[in-house]
Amino acid sequence: MDDKNQFYQGLSKQLNALLQDETQSVTIYANASALLYQLLPDVSWVGFYLHDAEKKELYLGPFQGKPACMHIPLGKGVCGTAASTLTVQRVADVHQFPDHIACDSASNSEIVLPLIKKEQLIAVLDIDSTVFDRFSKEDEEGLIKICKDLVTLL
């Protein structure tokens, strides 16, 4: 799996170069979602859901792909579960996930990673694929590094 590790190292370098010295969070989220969507193979949607602690929900942020759900309650679906548990959710078959929210019926697998800054959830990175079992442990590890890089910029 060295190829995937090298891929994610290169992706991390590209992302950091692209976002170097950027301070606007919307710009960071927008270009991060665009780069990931462009470079990750077999993905159908890449975007961010931002955390609204007062309303106890996630709301749609910058993304690439088809129109998406605009609000997700904490604890609901894959994104809401990642947000409420602060853990990565890597789902091989979203149709088997309890309370899955089907924003796009063509989506078959998904990975959602929480972005945590100063011990507070700020957003989740959501990536969907039409391919079942698209995301491996190596993808998860590479994307965790990407999220850590993003958090340092936000």
Side-chain angles (χ1 to χ4, degrees):
M1 293 297 158
D2 285 336
D3 289 345
K4 273 206 178 177
N5 290 334
Q6 288 176 345
F7 169 79
Y8 281 105
Q9 285 176 4
L11 182 57
S12 180
K13 285 179 185 174
Q14 279 186 271
L15 188 64
N16 285 313
L18 176 66
L19 300 175
Q20 183 179 6
D21 299 325
E22 183 53 59
T23 59
Q24 297 297 321
S25 60
V26 171
T27 304
I28 292 167
Y29 288 129
N31 265 342
S33 63
L35 186 69
L36 291 170
Y37 186 76
Q38 179 183 8
L39 296 181
L40 287 172
D42 298 319
V43 299
S44 57
W45 198 91
V46 176
F48 294 91
Y49 280 95
L50 310 180
H51 182 226
D52 184 331
E54 190 175 302
K55 292 184 179 179
K56 296 185 172 116
E57 70 174 14
L58 300 170
Y59 62 94
L60 184 62
F63 70 94
Q64 298 285 307
K66 293 180 180 179
C69 301
M70 293 184 284
H71 299 271
I72 298 174
L74 296 184
K76 280 290 245 185
V78 182
C79 288
T81 299
S84 65
T85 63
L86 301 179
T87 59
V88 175
Q89 300 295 305
R90 183 166 42 101
V91 182
D93 180 353
V94 295
H95 308 289
Q96 302 303 313
F97 192 89
D99 289 328
H100 175 249
I101 301 168
C103 298
D104 178 2
S105 61
S107 179
N108 288 315
S109 64
E110 185 171 6
I111 188 167
V112 181
L113 303 99
L115 278 70
I116 302 165
K117 185 171 187 167
K118 297 180 183 172
E119 300 181 22
Q120 297 293 315
L121 177 71
I122 56 174
V124 298
L125 169 60
D126 181 18
I127 306 174
D128 294 353
S129 177
T130 58
V131 177
F132 285 100
D133 203 15
R134 157 61 183 86
F135 304 101
S136 66
K137 183 68 175 162
E138 291 80 13
D139 290 306
E140 180 178 334
E141 291 167 359
L143 291 166
I144 286 171
K145 169 75 168 87
I146 297 289
C147 288
K148 286 180 181 177
D149 291 348
L150 287 172
V151 167
T152 63
L153 298 169
L154 295 166

